[in-house]
Amino acid sequence: MVAEQGGPEDQKPQSDEARSAFVPPAGVDRRASAPDDDHPTSEFAIPAGLTAEPQGPGTGSASGSAPAPGSGSDTIGSAFAPPRTYSAQHSPPAFTPAHGSPMIRLTKEAPWQDRMRTMLRMPVAERPAPEPVQKADEAGPAVPRVLDLTLRIGELLLAGGEGAEDVEAAMFAVTRSYGLDRSEPTVTFTLLSISHQPSLVDDPVTASRTVRRRGTDYTRLAAVFRLIDDITSEEVEVSLEEAYRRLAEIRRNRHPYSGWVLTLAGGGLAGAASVLVGGGPLVFVVAAIGAMLGDRLAWLFAGRGLPEFYQFVVAAMPPAAMGVALTLTHWSDVRPSAVITGGLFALLPGRALVAGVQDGLTGYYITAAARLLEVMYLFIGIVVGVLLVLYLGLQLGAQLNPEARFVPHDRPVVQILASMALCLAFAILLQQDRSTVLAVTLNGGVAWVIYGAMARTGNISPVAATATAAGLVGLFGQLFSRYRYTSSLPFITAAIGPLLPGSATYFGLLAVAQGRVNTGLASLSTAVATALAIAIGVNLGSEISRLFMRVPGAVGGANRRAAKRTRGF
């Protein structure tokens, strides 16, 4: 025991081992320090001088007992006990986790299209490391089977009208998900090929596939996009066998609408287009009948194996014949021009035109040239069919008035409803999924409102108004596709239906048939300019949405590289 302060023992020197680190130095009163207790006071104990308030049952310590007021015991309250103002009825759903509150995201991740577009134009050496492979077994991926699956998926997309860039992005996404990172897909108008090189010293493996038939079925297109989304997702496990099975089901599935439903939809599209350009109820019926007759003739020729060019020739003849017949009967309350224009709306290849211009703007010039050449042949087929009937009608004495330009200003509500009905019928013709019909119908109605406000109310150039409205269609379509994780075509193609240059095409053909070639070529040039404005506007709207939406999966925040850089030459 330490001697009393000031005693003779204090004068003796002590070693460091004998001196405690907690012993007060000489000259300090020990009675002023706190008592050295084996059980120190808890930091959660109530300080001396404060009185604890009485607590109800269940609000004290973990055992539920309430200590006596004024007690200085350490068990007066738990640090984890809720305060007395706590109410279980108005409590939050959970405490904030240690890593913070989760951020609310409208999308789970950047769509695979954006991530693959970013890496597709990178050299192989600059591409980021492959994602964790979850679809490959221990022996490694079966390279020939992966390439075959990739080509089959790309074939369905290209045959469905998807752009070349999106087809390449889909093919690259599939191979990358199955561990084949060093792969290069190539897409032309009818040929798909892909090459995979395991390493710099191994021989590459190349496979190709030819697209011989093309059809329009956006329901099948959306199903393929869902399959690719599941393959590229880390939350879903899709083996090669499962992918093949789902792909076979997609190919075997029937179209959502039968042939007669498509014929009725074609008639409804022509009738709505005739009302859009100034026709009445009788014009709607006559235009619908003419379009349905043309559609049945085209189906008959297709069953006989005739090329698509002749199918468009015979499909364009019945609507023109109906218009000429109305002129010969001298019905004053029926506009033959509206009937013929409605029939042309149902035939103009707007889908192929948009895809061709999009391929050209994104650097796929061979595919773009082939698509635009196809559009030109189809357009020439329409011209030949209509010109034959118009020339025959003029020989029979039909008084077709080329000056009867219809620009109705007094029926905005009717025109908006007609434009939406046109988009609805167009969506059925494209075999769209029923869940996308409402969105594309509203998108087309908005496009027509913008066009009408600019061209007819604001007296702005129709070509500029068409480009602006088409740009909004492309923007909204891209936003819809990002929200649904699917292709943008189901939300865009039918929405541009009301903007197609049906009236300019008809009056140009009528002028050519009457021998006024210069006037006819001028009107046809306006139709071509309007069609290009639609295609460029749609592509620009899509690119604007990608411009302001960053790609989280891109390396270093990099976006898709341009197809080509020029400096004035």
Side-chain angles (χ1 to χ4, degrees):
M1 185 174 180
V2 182
E4 293 294 330
Q5 186 177 2
E9 291 81 2
D10 295 335
Q11 305 301 327
K12 297 178 182 180
Q14 299 180 358
S15 63
D16 295 336
E17 291 80 1
R19 186 188 303 269
S20 174
F22 302 99
V23 174
V28 178
D29 189 4
R30 296 178 59 184
R31 292 174 296 181
S33 61
D36 189 10
D37 192 358
D38 293 338
H39 302 282
T41 305
S42 172
E43 60 179 333
F44 302 109
I46 299 178
L50 294 181
T51 302
E53 298 180 1
Q55 299 175 351
T59 59
S61 61
S63 61
S65 60
S71 173
S73 174
D74 294 342
T75 60
I76 188 68
S78 173
F80 302 100
R84 62 184 181 85
T85 57
Y86 174 83
S87 176
Q89 297 179 353
H90 304 87
S91 62
F95 292 101
T96 302
H99 56 273
S101 299
M103 183 177 61
I104 298 176
R105 294 183 179 180
L106 296 179
T107 58
K108 59 183 179 182
E109 182 60 40
W112 60 264
Q113 299 99 311
D114 289 344
R115 291 185 280 120
M116 295 304 114
R117 287 192 192 101
T118 303
M119 291 183 290
L120 193 59
R121 289 179 177 170
M122 290 183 180
V124 177
E126 297 181 12
R127 289 175 182 169
E131 300 170 354
V133 180
Q134 53 174 325
K135 284 84 181 177
D137 52 12
E138 296 180 357
V143 175
R145 295 194 66 196
V146 172
L147 297 185
D148 179 71
L149 174 66
T150 303
L151 290 174
R152 291 177 183 272
I153 290 177
E155 178 189 9
L156 285 179
L157 293 178
L158 188 62
E162 194 65 57
E165 185 181 28
D166 290 329
V167 175
E168 282 195 2
M171 296 172 64
F172 184 70
V174 174
T175 56
R176 184 177 174 84
S177 299
Y178 285 107
L180 307 185
D181 184 60
R182 302 175 64 90
S183 60
E184 290 293 340
T186 303
V187 176
T188 59
F189 185 55
T190 58
L191 181 64
L192 297 169
S193 63
I194 187 168
S195 177
H196 169 67
Q197 188 173 12
S199 66
L200 295 177
V201 297
D202 294 330
D203 295 333
V205 180
T206 304
S208 62
R209 195 174 184 89
T210 302
V211 179
R212 303 195 180 276
R213 295 191 64 184
R214 292 182 301 274
T216 303
D217 190 342
Y218 283 176
T219 301
R220 178 180 297 175
L221 192 68
V224 176
F225 266 75
R226 286 193 296 268
L227 174 60
I228 300 173
D229 188 41
D230 290 341
I231 291 176
T232 57
S233 176
E234 296 182 0
E235 291 82 9
V236 183
E237 183 74 21
V238 182
S239 62
L240 280 174
E241 290 73 14
E242 177 68 16
Y244 268 107
R245 185 190 63 79
R246 291 180 57 178
L247 192 62
E249 289 181 353
I250 292 173
R251 297 181 68 95
R252 286 196 302 262
N253 282 345
R254 293 185 176 182
H255 300 303
Y257 308 104
S258 63
W260 284 103
V261 174
L262 297 182
T263 300
L264 293 176
L269 191 154
S274 64
V275 174
L276 194 65
V277 295
L282 183 59
V283 171
F284 177 92
V285 174
V286 175
I289 294 175
M292 287 188 290
L293 289 177
D295 182 77
R296 286 290 95 188
L297 283 177
W299 277 96
L300 179 62
F301 275 57
R304 299 296 180 181
L306 291 180
E308 198 173 14
F309 174 84
Y310 300 104
Q311 298 176 29
F312 271 78
V313 171
V314 298
M317 297 177 71
M322 298 290 287
V324 172
L326 290 177
T327 304
L328 293 176
T329 56
H330 302 288
W331 283 17
S332 59
D333 56 343
V334 176
R335 292 185 177 182
S337 56
V339 174
I340 301 176
T341 300
L344 291 178
F345 265 92
L347 296 176
L348 291 178
R351 173 183 58 88
L353 176 66
V354 171
V357 174
Q358 179 180 356
D359 289 341
L361 294 177
T362 52
Y364 296 84
Y365 301 113
I366 297 178
T367 307
R371 288 185 188 271
L372 293 178
L373 185 62
E374 180 190 30
V375 171
M376 185 186 72
Y377 272 105
L378 298 181
F379 188 77
I380 291 176
I382 298 172
V383 169
V384 171
V386 175
L387 278 180
L388 287 176
V389 175
L390 291 180
Y391 183 77
L392 180 61
L394 291 176
Q395 298 303 316
L396 295 177
Q399 300 296 325
L400 297 173
N401 184 14
E403 304 299 330
R405 302 275 177 159
F406 30 78
V407 185
H409 297 278
D410 54 345
R411 303 191 307 171
V413 177
V414 175
Q415 286 182 319
I416 293 174
L417 295 177
S419 65
M420 297 178 68
L422 190 153
C423 294
L424 176 63
F426 204 170
I428 295 176
L429 285 175
L430 295 174
Q431 300 279 5
Q432 288 191 200
D433 188 76
R434 292 175 176 83
S435 61
T436 63
V437 170
L438 178 59
V440 72
T441 302
L442 295 177
N443 200 9
V446 171
W448 180 257
V449 169
I450 298 299
Y451 170 79
M454 295 181 62
R456 299 186 176 180
T457 304
N459 295 324
I460 300 176
S461 170
V463 176
T466 301
T468 304
L472 291 177
V473 168
L475 177 61
F476 292 152
Q478 194 64 229
L479 294 178
F480 280 129
S481 68
R482 282 172 170 267
Y483 177 74
R484 299 286 296 272
Y485 289 95
T486 183
S487 172
S488 61
L489 289 181
F491 303 99
I492 290 178
T493 306
I496 64 173
L499 305 176
L500 293 175
S503 59
T505 303
Y506 162 69
F507 286 116
L509 296 179
L510 178 59
V512 172
Q514 292 178 338
R516 298 179 295 111
V517 179
N518 293 334
T519 304
L521 292 180
S523 182
L524 290 177
S525 299
T526 302
V528 172
T530 303
L532 292 177
I534 293 173
I536 295 175
V538 167
N539 180 262
L540 182 60
S542 301
E543 294 297 331
I544 288 176
S545 66
R546 300 192 188 110
L547 180 64
F548 292 101
M549 293 182 181
R550 306 297 295 178
V551 182
V555 180
N559 282 326
R560 180 183 55 166
R561 297 186 178 185
K564 184 179 179 182
R565 290 183 180 272
T566 58
R567 292 293 182 269
F569 56 88

